[in-house]
Amino acid sequence: MMARSNGLQLPGPCPPLPTRARTDAQSTELSTSRTHSTQDETLELHRGTPAYGGEQLAAPPFQGRQALARIVRLVMVLRDWASKSLQEEQQRPDPFLERFQGPELQTVPADAISGPEDEEAEEKTKKKKWQSFVVDPARDWYYRWLAVIAVPVLYNWCLLVARACFSDLQKTYVVLWLVLDYISDCIYIGDIVIRLRTGFLEQGLLVKDLKKLRDNYIYTLQFKLDVLSILPTDLAYFAVGLHHPELRFNRLLHFSRMFEFFDRTETRTSYPNIFRISNLVLYILVIIHWNACIYYAISKAIGFGEDSWVYPNVTDPEYGYLTREYVYCLYWSTLTLTTIGETPPPVRDEEYLFVIFDFLIGVLIFATIVGNVGSMISNMNATRAEFQAKIDAIKHYMQFRKVSKDMETKVIKWFDYLWTNKKAVDEREVLKSLPDKLRAEIAINVHLETLKKVRIFQDCEAGLLVELVLKLRPQVFSPGDYICRKGDIGKEMYIIKEGKLAVVADDGTTQYALLTAGGCFGEISILNIKGSKMGNRRTANIRSLGYSDLFCLSKEDLMEVVTEYPDAKKVLEERGREILIKEGLLDESAEEESMEGKSVEEKLDRLTLNLDTLHTRLGRLLTEYSDAQMKLKQRITVLESQMRQQDLEDFFSDSSDSLSEVGGEATPAGL
């Protein structure tokens, strides 16, 4: 046992490792205390003295075991600390992204709700969890399960036919085959259970009703195939013996799960073309493998060495062992299905039919290979071909218009820079099929480091960030290019993504300032700041020192966005006003007049807003009045109908009474 005193840990045997998960607070305390104790124990090991009172241990073997236990505890503490630190780093969200994306749904772990519970309550909780257990097909767990179930499916498809045809293969490893067969059967049964609890989407939500899930699976063809694939046909082993694996051919009916795994992998992988080629090669190898096994089975049925077409006589030592049998058949199958030929001609009619069938399959396989590989290669080079077509078109144009060699070299270098740095793809064209929300999220994640450095984005609202990001257009400038010149009319503002820009004098060489990634400029001339002596013209010359990647935002797009977000407009105007004051380009008297005019405009805007509010309220009152009037008319109509019905009932009752009286008077007179 272990005792603790003053933060130290007495030497003793290693305690059993905990089996239940701890909460974050408990694990922090334990890891802290263990760290102190293990540090002291490590020092003791270096000194070779015990922790208390110089008491010597009983025997050297025990001391060795104790030292090993301490080392194990130290390794466990370090591992827990590293995993916890890594988990905290992975779970710590970026504040910039968090502000844009908003709070996500937090799932409370099961061990976070700590407290002593009875075993019965825990068992009930486990039963409830199992009863409500539903597999989400969009989760990673489902994909991993597909990978697991694909292994026994591929095993059955490859080895069952080989074991059925090559009897030596079956007899040599019969115990191994039995173990693998029944492991695959257990996985098949587990897959059926998983399918019974696999959810599906209905109106965009995951269905978790177990009855609906069962009905959705049971009434399909796949359920019937899955049930047929686990029928215990191998019970016939008791009658015919263990060396008849063809009895398990019904296991091949579970093939759909392997195809589903391949489809999902093709969607998830970052290299879909390579995966498609590998998948095609796998299919071809399986077909060649099956054809080789069938060729050996036909040779066995006809008789080994009966003619030149079948497999040679197995009594020959050169052809009598398993490896040569399979390799020879695989070689014959490959030559036949690839239509290469150079195989012995068939002799019997059944041999001719089999070779004809193989040639037809071989032609289809060859056509499939050529078609698929050709389309894959063309898809892989589609981007390069499109980019090269643009370059060729511009080259032809410059040659036709007799553009100077220097300009032609500059254009070609610009294109080379785009292709070398993987910037030739039109992002808008690629992402146009996505909704605006996803496009904004991708743009923010891709350009996160740049956007975080931009001051106007650091405190802006999430909606403004979305609007601005969707309107940014990337542009690339060559070395020495002027982004803007002093006195030009400003139509865009720029945000620097990569590269360095210089604020230069009119001579183009004297540098006043250096702009780097995250800086923005050009907003002064497009904001129409009141009192600016330059108006809407550029106030400085800005030149690219090397290749520079910028984001461009046009004046129309910026005004359209900041109209809905006046706070961001104020921030931009204040920043521009500070720059103009520093450069002496702000006329304060004109600014005051503009402020007075602005105050009048604000009053008019306020009056317009109040008038709109009154119109809204009046419309609401008119709607309520019309609704009340309609209800009153309906009530009056109902009352009128009730009164008419009452009058009719009174009239009929009075007439019936008068008729009865007249009949009573006429009866005595007749008598």
Side-chain angles (χ1 to χ4, degrees):
M1 299 296 291
M2 189 187 306
R4 298 180 186 274
S5 174
N6 298 327
L8 295 176
Q9 187 173 349
L10 291 176
C14 181
L17 295 177
T19 56
R20 203 165 69 90
R22 301 184 180 92
T23 59
D24 292 339
Q26 290 173 343
S27 62
T28 305
E29 294 176 2
L30 288 174
S31 60
T32 305
S33 62
R34 286 187 177 186
T35 305
H36 291 305
S37 62
T38 48
Q39 288 175 355
D40 295 335
E41 291 169 357
T42 309
L43 292 175
E44 293 166 15
L45 288 173
H46 285 297
R47 291 196 303 266
T49 58
Y52 284 90
E55 182 181 350
Q56 299 294 329
L57 294 175
F62 182 75
Q63 183 177 5
R65 289 196 300 271
Q66 190 176 18
L68 181 61
R70 290 172 179 171
I71 294 174
V72 169
R73 286 198 297 271
L74 178 61
V75 172
M76 294 294 294
V77 170
L78 292 176
R79 189 192 66 176
D80 294 340
W81 173 80
S83 61
K84 186 174 183 298
S85 301
L86 182 60
Q87 186 177 6
E88 288 179 355
E89 287 184 1
Q90 291 176 349
Q91 292 180 353
R92 188 182 298 119
D94 189 285
F96 189 79
L97 282 177
E98 188 179 20
R99 176 166 54 84
F100 163 70
Q101 294 176 345
E104 296 183 354
L105 181 63
Q106 300 293 332
T107 57
V108 181
D111 55 354
I113 307 174
S114 60
E117 295 183 354
D118 298 334
E119 295 181 358
E120 296 180 357
E122 291 181 358
E123 290 179 359
K124 289 181 180 179
T125 305
K126 290 180 181 179
K127 288 181 180 179
K128 288 181 180 179
K129 286 183 179 180
W130 169 248
Q131 290 174 357
S132 61
F133 171 71
V134 175
V135 179
D136 187 355
R139 298 282 183 180
D140 291 337
W141 189 93
Y142 183 77
Y143 175 72
R144 296 191 188 101
W145 173 252
L146 288 178
V148 171
I149 189 61
V151 173
V153 173
L154 195 60
Y155 158 77
N156 286 322
W157 270 87
C158 292
L159 288 176
L160 277 182
V161 63
R163 290 159 50 193
C165 296
F166 296 92
S167 56
D168 292 342
L169 179 65
Q170 170 65 21
K171 294 176 181 178
T172 306
Y173 308 102
V174 62
V175 177
L176 175 63
W177 302 135
L178 290 176
V179 173
L180 294 178
D181 285 347
Y182 293 116
I183 289 176
S184 66
D185 289 349
C186 293
I187 297 177
Y188 275 22
I189 295 172
D191 183 57
I192 293 178
V193 175
I194 294 296
R195 281 210 175 193
L196 288 171
R197 291 180 174 270
T198 300
F200 62 93
L201 294 180
E202 189 176 74
Q203 297 183 357
L205 299 175
L206 185 68
V207 177
K208 295 185 178 181
D209 187 359
L210 297 181
K211 185 178 182 303
K212 287 185 177 180
L213 298 182
R214 287 195 300 268
D215 294 342
N216 185 60
Y217 174 50
I218 289 175
Y219 296 108
T220 60
L221 174 63
Q222 189 56 49
F223 173 74
K224 300 177 179 61
L225 294 177
D226 292 345
V227 172
L228 290 175
S229 67
I230 61 170
L231 290 179
T233 53
D234 45 2
L235 292 177
Y237 284 165
F238 294 105
V240 298
L242 294 175
H243 304 304
H244 293 276
E246 60 271 10
L247 296 173
R248 294 178 52 85
F249 272 11
N250 59 323
R251 270 59 173 177
L252 304 178
L253 298 175
H254 214 82
F255 59 89
S256 65
R257 297 299 263 178
M258 183 176 63
F259 293 145
E260 185 178 357
F261 170 69
F262 288 158
D263 292 340
R264 287 182 178 264
T265 304
E266 183 177 351
T267 305
R268 286 170 170 253
T269 183
S270 301
Y271 306 97
N273 291 316
I274 296 177
F275 178 78
R276 292 188 191 107
I277 293 175
S278 303
N279 204 9
L280 179 63
V281 171
L282 176 64
Y283 292 154
I284 293 171
L285 289 177
V286 171
I287 294 173
I288 292 174
H289 167 75
W290 269 72
N291 192 60
C293 296
I294 295 173
Y295 167 73
Y296 186 82
I298 293 176
S299 299
K300 184 192 294 185
I302 296 174
F304 295 121
E306 289 293 327
D307 53 48
S308 60
W309 183 83
V310 298
Y311 185 80
N313 199 336
V314 293
T315 57
D316 187 351
E318 185 180 355
Y319 300 99
Y321 55 98
L322 178 62
T323 306
R324 174 55 61 88
E325 292 174 357
Y326 180 73
V327 171
Y328 181 94
C329 296
L330 192 67
Y331 172 74
W332 182 93
S333 177
T334 304
L335 290 179
T336 305
L337 291 181
T338 54
T339 64
I340 295 176
E342 298 183 3
T343 58
V347 178
R348 300 168 180 262
D349 293 341
E350 53 269 23
E351 296 172 359
Y352 275 107
L353 293 175
F354 180 70
V355 172
I356 291 171
F357 182 74
D358 269 8
F359 280 154
L360 293 176
I361 294 178
V363 170
L364 294 176
I365 290 176
F366 185 75
T368 304
I369 293 174
V370 173
N372 281 274
V373 173
S375 62
M376 290 174 192
I377 293 175
S378 61
N379 290 333
M380 292 170 65
N381 297 328
T383 305
R384 177 64 184 178
E386 183 180 358
F387 184 74
Q388 192 64 43
K390 293 180 181 179
I391 298 177
D392 294 341
I394 293 177
K395 284 181 179 179
H396 290 313
Y397 174 80
M398 291 189 294
Q399 291 175 359
F400 177 72
R401 294 298 181 183
K402 295 180 174 57
V403 178
S404 63
K405 289 294 182 181
D406 294 338
M407 179 59 68
E408 186 175 349
T409 303
K410 185 178 180 180
V411 171
I412 293 174
K413 286 183 177 180
W414 184 81
F415 274 110
D416 288 340
Y417 172 79
L418 290 183
W419 182 256
T420 304
N421 293 272
K422 300 179 180 180
K423 297 175 182 178
V425 179
D426 188 357
E427 295 182 1
R428 290 192 172 189
E429 187 68 22
V430 174
L431 302 177
K432 68 179 182 180
S433 59
L434 295 176
D436 291 345
K437 183 68 169 63
L438 287 179
R439 284 167 53 200
E441 284 194 42
I442 291 176
I444 288 176
N445 278 275
V446 170
H447 310 301
L448 177 63
E449 295 301 324
T450 302
L451 297 177
K452 285 166 67 174
K453 298 176 184 177
V454 181
R455 195 176 73 177
I456 61 174
F457 288 162
Q458 290 176 358
D459 299 321
C460 70
E461 302 177 29
L464 173 64
L465 187 60
V466 173
E467 295 288 340
L468 289 176
V469 166
L470 290 177
K471 296 182 183 299
L472 293 176
R473 291 180 290 107
Q475 291 186 359
V476 178
F477 291 89
S478 300
D481 286 349
Y482 278 93
I483 288 85
C484 59
R485 292 179 180 270
K486 188 175 182 179
D488 292 345
I489 296 176
K491 297 180 181 179
E492 303 96 2
M493 67 171 290
Y494 297 94
I495 299 171
I496 305 174
K497 180 185 178 185
E498 291 180 1
K500 293 183 179 181
L501 307 177
V503 181
V504 298
D506 294 337
D507 57 4
T509 57
T510 306
Q511 294 186 10
Y512 296 135
L514 187 66
L515 304 177
T516 57
C520 61
F521 61 92
E523 68 274 16
I524 298 175
S525 58
I526 66 175
L527 287 174
N528 294 328
I529 298 175
K530 302 299 181 182
S532 174
K533 296 180 181 180
M534 299 296 294
N536 62 344
R537 296 183 179 273
R538 301 292 190 188
T539 59
N541 300 312
I542 298 181
R543 190 174 187 179
S544 176
L545 297 180
Y547 285 101
S548 303
D549 297 348
L550 308 180
F551 288 124
C552 175
L553 184 64
S554 66
K555 180 178 181 179
E556 292 78 11
D557 293 337
L558 180 63
M559 290 296 105
E560 181 183 352
V561 172
V562 298
T563 302
E564 303 296 333
Y565 298 93
D567 294 337
K569 186 177 181 180
K570 290 179 181 178
V571 172
L572 289 174
E573 289 179 348
E574 287 296 329
R575 183 188 172 203
R577 196 172 287 109
E578 292 174 0
I579 296 175
L580 290 175
I581 292 173
K582 187 183 297 184
E583 296 181 358
L585 297 176
L586 184 66
D587 188 354
E588 297 182 358
S589 60
E591 185 183 8
E592 291 177 358
E593 293 177 0
S594 65
M595 292 299 292
E596 293 177 359
K598 187 177 180 181
S599 62
V600 175
E601 291 178 358
E602 289 179 352
K603 290 180 181 179
L604 290 175
D605 292 339
R606 195 179 302 112
L607 288 175
T608 305
L609 182 62
N610 292 335
L611 185 61
D612 292 338
T613 305
L614 289 176
H615 276 299
T616 303
R617 291 180 179 178
L618 181 61
R620 190 182 299 116
L621 290 174
L622 289 175
T623 304
E624 293 177 355
Y625 172 73
S626 60
D627 292 341
Q629 191 176 15
M630 182 65 68
K631 291 179 180 178
L632 183 60
K633 287 181 179 180
Q634 291 176 354
R635 291 183 63 187
I636 292 174
T637 303
V638 171
L639 290 174
E640 287 178 351
S641 62
Q642 291 178 355
M643 289 181 64
R644 290 195 190 95
Q645 187 176 0
Q646 186 67 31
D647 292 341
L648 288 174
E649 290 178 357
D650 294 341
F651 174 75
F652 283 119
S653 61
D654 293 341
S655 60
S656 61
D657 293 340
S658 61
L659 289 174
S660 61
E661 291 177 359
V662 172
E665 292 177 356
T667 302
L671 289 173

